[in-house]
């Protein structure tokens, strides 16, 4: 079993977790987990980084670094467009950021084309 000092919430990354019987609890997001069940799942988790190498997290704001053409549409997302409240997703096609852009709508972006704002 992991030491208490090494424990962080697998859901939100909070370091202020506490044990409650055989389960661990997170006071920030309310997530409960069993460390024996969660250990293999968190080992393979990769961090998503922006074009400059900064680690991205859900809710971050990012800026698009170059003009991006939208497949199937004649519009373009201009470089310098600020996107607020991103969600990180696991995608096999490389589009690992889900977001909403005003004037465009819901869209997925690749982290290599954004920088943390």
């Amino acid at each position: 079993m992991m030491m208490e000092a090494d424990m962080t919430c697998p859901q939100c990354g909070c370091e202020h977790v506490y044990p409650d019987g055989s389960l661990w609890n997170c006071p920030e997001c309310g997530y409960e987990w069993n460390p024996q069940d969660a250990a293999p799942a968190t080992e393979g988790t990769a961090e998503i980084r922006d074009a400059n190498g900064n680690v991205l997290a859900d809710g971050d704001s990012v800026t698009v670094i170059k003009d991006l053409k939208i497949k199937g549409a004649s519009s373009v997302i201009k470089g310098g467009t600020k996107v607020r409240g991103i969600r990180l997703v696991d995608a096999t096609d490389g589009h690992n950021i889900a977001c909403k852009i005003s004037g465009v709508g819901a869209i997925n972006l690749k982290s290599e084309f954004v920088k943390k704002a």
Side-chain angles (χ1 to χ4, degrees):
M1 191 164 145
M2 297 171 75
M3 297 298 297
E4 184 175 343
D6 298 331
M7 292 295 283
T8 58
C9 175
Q11 194 79 8
C12 69
C14 174
E15 296 178 355
H16 305 289
V17 297
Y18 60 92
D20 184 20
S22 63
L23 297 176
W24 282 78
N25 295 308
C26 177
E28 288 188 15
C29 69
Y31 185 67
E32 296 181 340
W33 74 98
N34 185 340
Q36 284 82 22
D37 296 342
T42 57
E43 289 174 4
T45 305
E47 295 177 330
I48 296 176
R49 297 180 177 266
D50 69 357
N52 295 333
N54 298 318
V55 177
L56 297 173
D58 285 342
D60 281 348
S61 294
V62 296
T63 304
V64 177
I65 61 172
K66 68 179 233 173
D67 291 355
L68 300 174
K69 294 180 183 176
I70 300 173
K71 279 188 177 178
S74 60
S75 58
V76 173
I77 300 172
K78 296 282 188 182
T81 302
K82 190 166 185 176
V83 182
R84 292 181 177 88
I86 65 169
R87 283 185 305 118
L88 302 179
V89 294
D90 292 327
T92 56
D93 62 353
H95 293 85
N96 47 12
I97 297 174
C99 60
K100 289 184 182 177
I101 299 176
S102 60
V104 177
I107 194 164
N108 291 341
L109 299 173
K110 292 183 178 182
S111 61
E112 63 195 62
F113 298 121
V114 299
K115 66 178 180 178
K116 196 169 187 175

